[in-house]
Amino acid sequence: MFFTPGFVALLLIKAGEPASFGIAVELLILSCATAVVAGLFVGSQSDGAGADHSSRVSLWSGSLVLELMSVVPFLCAVPPLFHELAHSKLLHAAAPGAIDVTLGASELLPAMAVLPFMLYQLAGFGTLHYIVSKTTNMIINLAALGLIIAAYVANRLASYDHERMLVGLLVVIMATTVFYGVLKLKRMQETYDANCPLKEPSPPKEAKPAEGAKVA
């Protein structure tokens, strides 16, 4: 899901499309890589006998990595990437007599994907909701939204240095939050296990001989 649009944009860069594709490709590749890392976290989840504190929160940690380091960069990359694809001279070679139709405000339709994600986060469905306070959760997500919008505006104004700075700040905030969140989840699990230790499974009881049966 993350790699396909990045691969298309990378091919267009090689073919000579504008440099504004560059940051979008970086974000999409980041999404791909962190999705793989999130899968490693999820795959190490274990609640059975012998499971340690880390393995009991691996699923939560993987969800946090996926939400903040895969989905957020993906949402940041989609609006400028769609704009460039919609205006690509390689993809839209004008035929003789063809009418150039501008998309206008409809170019913002792909950017609307950020709204249900904000609802997901601010309504308490996100993993971050269980790690930080409600106020901090709101600040982090609104900051991410503001940086996504600002980076898109900078892209449309061809201010790529500012776009790179805003995107870098967004990634740093998300990475710092993930680093803090994974460690916080582990500490929470350690505290829970200390107060509610798992009971060792009791050995199976031996079957009692039936009444009237001879006992050797």
Side-chain angles (χ1 to χ4, degrees), residues 30-182:
L30 173 64
S31 297
C32 296
T34 50
V36 173
V37 175
L40 294 176
F41 275 97
V42 173
S44 61
Q45 175 72 22
S46 176
D47 293 318
D52 58 5
H53 306 299
S54 299
S55 60
R56 290 194 180 99
V57 293
S58 291
L59 182 60
W60 291 72
S61 300
S63 297
L64 186 65
V65 173
L66 190 63
E67 292 167 9
L68 300 187
M69 293 295 293
S70 291
V71 177
V72 171
F74 181 75
L75 292 175
C76 186
V78 164
L81 180 62
F82 177 78
H83 172 75
E84 293 298 340
L85 291 176
H87 295 84
S88 171
K89 300 300 182 182
L90 294 174
L91 297 178
H92 305 283
I99 299 176
D100 186 12
V101 179
T102 59
L103 297 177
S106 64
E107 284 189 13
L108 296 176
L109 290 178
M112 294 300 103
V114 74
L115 297 182
F117 179 74
M118 286 294 112
L119 178 63
Y120 169 82
Q121 291 284 26
L122 297 179
F125 294 97
T127 309
L128 192 61
H129 170 75
Y130 301 96
I131 300 171
V132 299
S133 65
K134 185 176 181 180
T135 302
T136 304
N137 183 33
M138 183 175 297
I139 291 173
I140 292 174
N141 283 286
L142 291 181
L145 177 62
L147 288 170
I148 290 173
I149 295 174
Y152 176 68
V153 172
N155 178 274
R156 293 298 300 270
L157 295 176
S159 182
Y160 302 126
D161 289 337
H162 289 92
E163 182 189 13
R164 188 178 297 108
M165 180 185 66
L166 293 167
V167 168
L169 180 59
L170 175 65
V171 172
V172 167
I173 292 175
M174 295 299 102
T176 303
T177 305
V178 166
F179 190 87
Y180 168 80
V182 170

